[in-house]
Amino acid sequence: MEVLEISLGQVFLSEAVGSMLLLLLGGGVVANTLLKGSKGQGTGWLLINWGWGLAVFVGVLASGASGAHINPAVTVGIIARNMILGNPDFVPGIAIGVVSTLVYFAGQLVGAMIGAGLMWLAYKQHFDAEENPAFKLGVFSTGPEIRNYGWNMVTEIIGTFVLVFTIFAAGVFTLGADGKGVAVNLGWLGALGVGLLVVSIGASLGGPTGYAINPTRDLGPRIMHAILPIKGKGGSDWGYAWVPIAGPLIGGVLGGIASTFLLV
């Protein structure tokens, strides 16, 4: 079967569409659970976990052309793994490099911002009705239950490590002639597996920080929270914003590196 190559423009669009759907649906389930007057108000943490897992499932399906990263932590994990194993490409036709990496990041961030904006439009009346500014911020971005930047970082690193390492575990389905893992495209089954993985991480490790495990998932919506005309919104907690960026990036790199010698 001929392997089709794509352009950097197609990579950007693919990552943007997948990230847009991720944040529209993922932010939407939090809004449904938290905001005043919503039919889902008060339905709880497990609904949020499942909503985010299914949002990842949809986002992965929509961004398959670019490899369905929709997360800079996955992108840097792939870089770390592929550089060690000697694979020079993200996907056929897209070599790993500074420009291509920035295109992935840009698509992920722009898509996350658009998705957060669409989510706000869908719940506009409920944002207006909600009186608690913390709930409004919580719909857009993550925050710690106990604020300790060092331990909050540890939580995000561990959660993202599990995410990236397990993604590679699912992809390393067999061994090639050179003895290196060969990734297999599992289509819908693979996307569903990643979604269930996110449900598991949220249910087990999401309590301390809200499990960003994705820098643009937090940064894009936080920017939108800051610039959108949200009634009574309060501050955007920029003092914490670096944690869900740095923690997932570190966890992603560690997951990529560990996969090269722990997966056979």
Side-chain angles (χ1 to χ4, degrees), residues 8 14 41 60 64 67 85 154 157 160 172 180 196 199 240 262:
L8 283 176
S14 175
Q41 185 181 15
V60 168
L85 296 181
V154 168
I157 289 170
T160 312
V172 180
K180 297 177 181 177
L196 292 174
V199 174
Y240 179 76
L262 293 178

Side-chain angles (χ1 to χ4, degrees), residues 137-179:
L137 177 59
V139 172
F140 284 88
S141 59
T142 63
E145 290 301 300
I146 300 174
R147 187 171 295 254
N148 181 308
Y149 293 144
W151 286 111
N152 301 153
M153 276 275 290
V154 168
T155 299
E156 288 292 331
I157 289 170
I158 292 172
T160 312
F161 176 91
V162 172
L163 173 70
V164 173
F165 182 83
T166 308
I167 287 172
F168 286 129
V172 180
F173 188 74
T174 186
L175 295 178
D178 59 359

Side-chain angles (χ1 to χ4, degrees), residues 171-237:
V172 180
F173 188 74
T174 186
L175 295 178
D178 59 359
K180 297 177 181 177
V182 176
V184 177
N185 183 1
L186 300 178
W188 275 65
L189 182 59
L192 180 59
V194 177
L196 292 174
L197 171 60
V198 171
V199 174
S200 175
I201 293 170
S204 299
L205 300 173
T209 62
Y211 76 121
I213 60 174
N214 179 339
T216 51
R217 168 266 174 273
D218 191 273
L219 178 60
R222 196 182 297 270
I223 292 172
M224 295 303 287
H225 177 270
I227 66 178
L228 285 172
I230 304 169
K231 180 181 177 182
K233 63 182 176 181
S236 301
D237 194 13

